[in-house]
Amino acid sequence: MNKARVLIATVVATALGFGIHVLYGQGLVMEYVQQAGQEGRLNDFIRQPYPTWFVIVAAITALIPTLGKVLLYVFIQEKLPVNSRTGRGLLYGFILLAIDDALLRMPIMSVAGNNPVDVMLIQSAEGWIIPLVIGVVIAHLVPSGASHQNS
């Protein structure tokens, strides 16, 4: 592995993603949403307690990213350097956690924004637990590849 290229790819991809987030997500989108709010187009936005149909739509659409996580596991399970299903699942869950903002970025930004540490920890726990649980469940339910068949 060429460490310099990994570092360059990380910096460039981060800069592009962050730039889009700031210029589009916090700029153009924010202005558009504020305008829609001033026009009254957001007055019927659904709030808790959510109607049953809305919860059903949320549950069904949650299958889409989870399918992506299962397929990714199918592709990489043979590369995970652990023999037990639980170990592979925890490692995969940690990989899922590491590629998301929930591991460190959001907790750091939460504290940087003056959120008390205890509040940040309580808020962050969900984002830390879900990928680990999902990883273990996927590892136990997805058929093992050739080199891990005896696990």
Side-chain angles (χ1 to χ4, degrees):
M1 167 174 50
N2 185 329
K3 292 177 184 177
R5 292 201 53 148
V6 169
L7 179 61
I8 290 169
T10 301
V11 170
V12 170
T14 300
L16 289 171
F18 191 72
I20 292 168
H21 167 65
V22 170
L23 297 174
Y24 178 74
Q26 298 300 310
L28 296 173
V29 171
M30 197 70 72
E31 292 173 20
Y32 186 87
V33 171
Q34 287 173 351
Q35 181 66 34
Q38 291 171 353
E39 294 169 0
R41 296 189 303 141
L42 304 179
N43 291 347
D44 295 328
F45 192 80
I46 295 174
R47 302 188 196 303
Q48 290 183 349
Y50 297 125
T52 302
W53 70 266
F54 190 79
V55 175
I56 292 169
V57 170
I60 290 170
T61 57
L63 294 168
I64 298 165
T66 305
L67 175 61
K69 292 170 185 162
V70 170
L71 293 175
L72 178 61
Y73 180 78
V74 168
F75 294 134
I76 72 165
Q77 68 175 319
E78 292 299 312
K79 300 290 185 187
L80 297 174
V82 182
N83 289 327
S84 74
R85 285 184 186 269
T86 301
R88 282 195 310 270
L90 285 171
L91 180 56
Y92 183 60
F94 185 76
I95 291 169
L96 293 175
L97 183 55
I99 62 174
D100 189 31
D101 286 351
L103 179 61
L104 292 175
R105 184 174 186 275
M106 292 312 297
I108 289 169
M109 294 306 297
S110 178
V111 171
N114 290 328
N115 208 2
V117 174
D118 62 316
V119 173
M120 174 276 297
L121 290 170
I122 295 297
Q123 289 174 328
S124 298
E126 177 183 3
W128 294 332
I129 293 167
I130 291 172
L132 297 173
V133 169
I134 286 175
V136 171
V137 168
I138 290 171
H140 278 273
L141 295 178
V142 169
S144 293
S147 67
H148 294 298
Q149 285 185 359
N150 295 327
S151 300

